[in-house]
Amino acid sequence: VQLQASGGGLVQAGGSLRLSCAASGRIYTSSVMGWFRQAPGKGREFVARMKWADGRTYLGDSVQGRLTISRDRAKNTVYLQMSSLRPEDTAVYYCARGSQWSADARDFTYWGQGTLVTVSS
């Protein structure tokens, strides 16, 4: 399984971006798709996850109300729609696939290469 993240870039504070994560091959119904981010000098932080079987979602506390996770099942693609972006959202964003309903990066087995989001003030 390969995950390809894209959509990052430079945006001003208050702006929006949509990240995409395309999976090669089928995403099994037992899968949990997640988004994490890592800011310079910091650890990897949970952002959002989705249970592939039923579309149930969960967002991290720091992004609630500003970010949403969605999917296109036909395209095996997961999206992270980001709005009202803040400079502290600057990070490399990674998509990942696991099988646990978890916010722990260690529970996710497959990782994309990351896409950089930079929010200027």
Side-chain angles (χ1 to χ4, degrees), residues 56-77:
R56 179 165 35 128
T57 64
Y58 187 83
L59 297 170
D61 291 341
S62 63
V63 302
Q64 290 228 10
R66 301 186 300 116
L67 275 60
T68 58
I69 183 171
S70 63
R71 65 179 174 177
D72 184 329
R73 297 185 72 169
K75 294 182 179 179
N76 281 340
T77 300

Side-chain angles (χ1 to χ4, degrees), residues 45-60:
E45 177 190 11
F46 166 76
V47 175
R49 66 180 184 261
M50 171 181 280
K51 191 169 185 180
W52 200 252
D54 57 14
R56 179 165 35 128
T57 64
Y58 187 83
L59 297 170

Side-chain angles (χ1 to χ4, degrees), residues 74-97:
K75 294 182 179 179
N76 281 340
T77 300
V78 179
Y79 303 99
L80 186 67
Q81 178 68 48
M82 305 189 293
S83 60
S84 301
L85 284 164
R86 306 167 180 168
E88 53 264 39
D89 294 317
T90 295
V92 177
Y93 283 72
Y94 297 91
C95 63
R97 195 195 91 174

Side-chain angles (χ1 to χ4, degrees), residues 36-40 45 87-93 115-119:
F36 293 79
R37 66 186 182 185
Q38 188 162 14
E45 177 190 11
E88 53 264 39
D89 294 317
T90 295
V92 177
Y93 283 72
T115 184
L116 176 63
V117 173
T118 304
V119 184

